[in-house]
Amino acid sequence: MRRIGIWIAAGGLLLGTAACGGTSSGGGGGGTPKSQALSVGFVAEPANLDFTSTEGAAIPQALLVNVYEGLVKLDQDGKIVPLLAEKWDVSPDRKTYTFNLRKDVKFSSGAPFTADDVVFSLDRVKSDWKLKIKAQLDVVDKVEKKDDSTAVVTLKKPSNGFLYSMATRLGAMFSRTGVADLANKPVGTGPYTLGSWRRGDSIQLNANASYWGTKPPLSSITLKYFKDATAMNNALLTGGIDVISAVQAPESLQQFADPNRFQTVEGTTNGEVVLSMNNSRPPFDDKKARQAVRYAIDHKALLETAWAGRGQLIGSMVPPTDPWYEDRTGDYPYDPAKAKELLGGKTLNVKMRIPNLPYAVASAQVVKSQLAQVGITADIEPLEFPARWLDVVFKQGDYDLSIINHVEPRDMGIFADKSYYFRYDNPEFGKLLASADEGTEQQQSDDLKKAAKLLSDDAAADWLFLFPNLIVAKKGVTGLPKNAIAESFDFTALSKQQ
């Protein structure tokens, strides 16, 4: 949802993981072993395959880096590294980016990738994309072709965020002849192509035999979608899948404790599990009511109860992997008496409309109980995700409280859009973001720290915890991404021992 991943992937605006580049498959000059296939379990299936017009993280999670590639990508440390661009140069005034493109790259349709496609793809963000996040590229003045292997992007003003945005779905390169049916037939330059999609069940990606780079070690990967955590766990236990992409019930990890059968990978994500408050309607148009909610939540107890203590408390919309992170967990310590004082003796009845995803359901039960202690009665209404939640909460803004994992990288800027479902409106916040984008690296860091503090002070939302990256796989599966700090689950390094 704007960088939400909403994640919609594993739930949220939800879930995305990224791993660094491919590995050599060995043998046959780097060819793909025909017999090697892998099945990875996910929750929250994409509604369609077009991430230019459909919100949510499930689509880029599956397709970005794997089927679609950009000029650059994020590595496992969050660093911007070359992909379809071999290198790039930035002018002294920081407004002109010259990208030198890899030669002999083809789309899966057979069409060559050239600077014409760079112009087409970036111009299309403005003309055709439907997502709110497309505003991140409003800073682009023009995109030009210097020659087939050189594209020049000119900005209206210096932007610290431009290149980072180019590593997200916004920077995906599309073929000029490959956008007729994006919802069903993606055409990219990546190491995998769409093999089949069994709606309600699975998506199969097949190795791209004509891929320009290192061929993926696997001949195919199946993304298997499950309605609940138990079914996904059982599938791994019984051999139906090879990997659980994101553990949806951390208390279940004991089932996979046998090191002769399974392995667990634990890292971090960009996923802020946000207790959203509708800032535009009663009772949460009142800052004191929002602050009361923040004081009423015992975050440490919530994390232990809802997510088995896995994850990290953060206190604002910045994960520790961002340079401007500050621990804001002390801004609103657990203080029920303070919460009651802010409410002035009033009792409130509110609607908590949440996605029917495990982390949201588990967290909502704890929030409901803790809010009840200060006089706030929260009626929990689980909504089918993604369709119903996106329609009712995200689009219509018809809710008082919600819980969603915002997994998109560096997504604090969503609060600057007063039409976004938080309905938060503070012009000072937008000014800080604008100043941060244009300034030096130090100014960027200083301004974004101030912005995060402002969000916290205003109680624009509450931040329950940072979602952990918890992967369980069969022993012998290699190339699993430790951290999930980009939008995609990068399959390019995955392999398994026979």
Side-chain angles (χ1 to χ4, degrees):
M1 309 237 105
R2 197 182 160 150
R3 267 164 157 33
I4 255 182
I6 255 189
W7 234 172
I8 282 180
L13 292 170
L14 293 178
L15 232 94
T17 24
C20 183
T23 59
S24 172
S25 57
T32 300
K34 295 180 179 179
S35 61
Q36 281 232 13
L38 200 87
S39 181
V40 183
F42 291 87
V43 296
E45 178 185 13
N48 62 61
L49 301 180
D50 181 7
F51 58 60
T52 74
S53 64
T54 306
E55 298 282 4
I59 312 172
Q61 181 186 45
L63 301 184
L64 194 61
V65 175
N66 302 312
V67 173
Y68 291 110
E69 295 179 309
L71 302 182
V72 296
K73 64 178 274 189
L74 294 179
D75 70 9
Q76 271 287 278
D77 298 316
K79 180 182 177 184
I80 299 171
V81 296
L83 193 49
L84 291 178
E86 289 184 315
K87 63 176 183 176
W88 59 91
D89 296 305
V90 185
S91 63
D93 66 1
R94 299 168 52 216
K95 292 199 295 185
T96 303
Y97 287 71
T98 301
F99 293 95
N100 298 102
L101 310 180
R102 296 187 190 276
K103 299 177 176 64
D104 300 321
V105 174
K106 294 183 182 297
F107 288 96
S108 57
S109 62
F113 166 70
T114 71
D116 288 312
D117 299 296
V118 178
V119 175
F120 171 76
S121 298
L122 296 183
D123 283 351
R124 197 172 175 276
V125 173
K126 292 187 178 183
S127 62
D128 289 68
W129 281 54
K130 303 295 192 293
L131 311 190
K132 287 180 177 290
I133 58 170
K134 75 176 190 174
Q136 291 177 35
L137 292 189
D138 284 351
V139 72
V140 174
D141 182 30
K142 58 184 177 180
V143 186
E144 299 170 295
K145 170 188 175 181
K146 183 176 180 181
D147 54 48
D148 278 353
S149 58
T150 311
V152 180
V153 180
T154 304
L155 307 183
K156 299 172 184 174
K157 56 187 178 182
S159 170
N160 290 311
F162 165 68
L163 199 60
Y164 199 94
S165 294
M166 289 291 288
T168 71
R169 72 186 85 173
L170 291 169
M173 292 292 112
F174 295 87
S175 169
R176 288 161 288 158
T177 58
V179 296
D181 189 10
L182 292 177
N184 300 290
K185 297 177 181 177
V187 177
T189 60
Y192 287 96
T193 62
L194 178 66
S196 61
W197 181 14
R198 297 175 58 193
R199 290 177 183 267
D201 180 76
S202 60
I203 292 173
Q204 180 173 311
L205 302 180
N206 294 332
N208 180 359
S210 60
Y211 182 54
W212 61 267
T214 303
K215 304 296 189 293
L218 301 171
S219 57
S220 69
I221 290 182
T222 299
L223 290 72
K224 176 75 173 173
Y225 294 96
F226 294 89
K227 296 295 186 183
D228 63 79
T230 300
M232 186 159 61
N233 290 344
N234 288 339
L236 182 58
L237 288 167
T238 59
I241 59 175
D242 300 290
V243 180
I244 292 176
S245 64
V247 173
Q248 297 298 306
E251 67 278 5
S252 69
L253 282 173
Q254 190 58 36
Q255 298 177 80
F256 308 106
D258 182 355
N260 294 313
R261 295 185 63 199
F262 304 109
Q263 58 178 312
T264 299
V265 175
E266 183 168 2
T268 191
T269 75
N270 285 313
E272 305 99 347
V273 179
V274 179
L275 175 63
S276 312
M277 293 183 260
N278 191 332
N279 284 235
S280 67
R281 74 182 193 187
F284 298 124
D285 56 348
D286 182 348
K287 179 177 175 179
K288 288 185 177 181
R290 300 194 304 270
Q291 291 177 319
V293 168
R294 298 205 66 189
Y295 280 116
I297 304 298
D298 183 342
H299 295 84
K300 188 173 187 298
L302 181 144
L303 185 59
E304 290 290 340
T305 304
W307 221 238
R310 307 278 183 156
Q312 182 175 348
L313 303 183
I314 48 176
S316 194
M317 196 70 179
V318 181
T321 46
D322 283 345
W324 39 88
Y325 169 74
E326 288 184 318
D327 182 354
R328 306 225 62 89
T329 56
D331 290 357
Y332 289 84
Y334 177 51
D335 190 342
K338 180 70 171 178
K340 291 179 181 179
E341 177 186 331
L342 285 163
L343 291 174
K346 293 184 295 185
T347 58
L348 303 176
N349 291 278
V350 298
K351 296 178 181 177
M352 184 164 20
R353 290 179 159 162
I354 62 170
N356 61 340
L357 296 165
Y359 73 86
V361 173
S363 297
Q365 299 296 334
V366 182
V367 170
K368 176 184 173 74
S369 175
Q370 293 182 349
L371 292 183
Q373 302 303 311
V374 302
I376 301 175
T377 300
D379 180 25
I380 299 174
E381 183 181 350
L383 300 177
E384 184 271 327
F385 188 90
R388 281 283 291 157
W389 187 90
L390 283 176
D391 179 42
V392 175
V393 176
F394 188 73
K395 292 181 180 177
Q396 297 181 39
D398 185 10
Y399 79 103
D400 299 316
L401 295 173
S402 190
I403 296 174
I404 196 75
N405 180 11
H406 282 257
V407 301
E408 292 166 323
R410 300 190 179 179
D411 53 357
M412 183 166 59
I414 55 182
F415 282 91
D417 180 357
K418 64 183 180 182
S419 69
Y420 202 68
Y421 83 106
F422 303 125
R423 304 293 196 262
Y424 174 67
D425 184 9
N426 186 335
E428 182 60 29
F429 180 76
K431 291 177 183 177
L432 285 169
L433 292 190
S435 174
D437 195 39
E438 288 187 56
T440 64
E441 284 190 16
Q442 186 60 53
Q443 289 169 331
Q444 177 189 32
S445 182
D446 291 345
D447 285 336
L448 291 178
K449 286 178 180 178
K450 292 176 184 176
K453 183 179 186 300
L454 181 59
L455 280 186
S456 179
D457 291 347
D458 278 351
D462 186 67
W463 293 269
L464 299 179
F465 59 95
L466 187 75
F467 204 80
N469 189 39
L470 281 175
I471 298 174
V472 178
K474 290 180 181 176
K475 182 182 178 182
V477 175
T478 60
L480 293 164
K482 177 178 175 62
N483 295 324
I485 52 178
E487 293 180 287
S488 82
F489 193 112
D490 188 337
F491 298 126
T492 56
L494 284 189
S495 184
K496 69 177 180 179
Q497 300 167 0
Q498 294 287 25

